[in-house]
Amino acid sequence: MAALKRICLAVWLLSLSLQVVAQQPAQADGVTPPAAAIDAREIVRRSVETDHRNWEKARNYTCQHRVVEKELDKSGKPKSTKTQTFDVTFYYDEEYSRLVQKDDKPLTPEEQKKVDNQLNKFLEKHRNESEDSRKKRLAKLEKERQEERAFLRDVVNAYDFKLAGEEQVDGFDAWVIEATPRKGFHPTQPHADILSKVKGRLWIEKKEYNWVKAEAEVVDTISFGLFLARVHPGTKLSFVQMHVNDEVWLVRKFSMNASARLALFKNAAFEQEDTFSSYRKFSSTVRILPGAQEVSPEPATPAAPK
């Protein structure tokens, strides 16, 4: 299952790749083309400029995250289902997901104790963190983001973007953009070879160039390790975003339907659906000092989707 979840990154990579495209100028003379003449690449470029500002705002929101994982039989019916619900918040500049329900039921006393212990260990680790260690931790996070950017240079070279039409999604007029693997693509970064095996479709709303939804499909077998896993063509992923508080676009649902052979012995099929709800905006610039009691950020009124 862990190997399959790695494929989930493909649909996000299609989105993140646009950050690299955004660095390129719209035209040599710096003049923005009129709406009638706009092409897919320019739509994508503008959407990333918007997405960067959106990402900064999104960091001020906590939410509830519900994950439903299903293992399917040969006929596509569920053999087993596991459901977990998490509260997502931030401590010491890091996102933290705390388990609050299993199979839509409250945790047992034993499970709650385990969850509390995990949180206490996390807080204790960061509470006693020296200034030097904190700087190193944040520098490591920044390094990981920079490494993702390096990977994205391959992403932007892996795809051709094409304007496929216009549609209305959740009341928003949107452009439909197709992302097709580019022939002759030669990856330069580790694991970037999977990009030539995934195609996508993007919906970008017209008013402010925000992402409404995206879909991706595996079109060729993707292998992880010599004997770890192979993900089959036909595996599909998608995500949908919603407009919250008239200021930010946040993920509402992520879905995956995957078919794979695990350890080259057993074919397996999985479905996963992640839903995000109860978004709350918070603002906290207070740094918790060593020995101080932990206090969760005071959330604002629950954010309402538009």
Side-chain angles (χ1 to χ4, degrees), residues 146-161:
Q146 293 301 324
E147 289 175 347
E148 289 174 357
R149 280 186 170 273
F151 181 89
L152 298 179
R153 295 189 186 97
D154 266 356
V155 179
V156 73
N157 292 325
Y159 292 98
D160 290 318
F161 297 106

Side-chain angles (χ1 to χ4, degrees), residues 272-289:
Q272 178 173 323
E273 182 175 278
D274 295 45
T275 53
F276 300 82
S277 61
S278 302
Y279 278 108
R280 289 174 176 264
K281 187 176 183 179
F282 76 96
S283 178
S284 176
T285 58
V286 177
R287 183 183 171 202
I288 303 174
L289 299 175

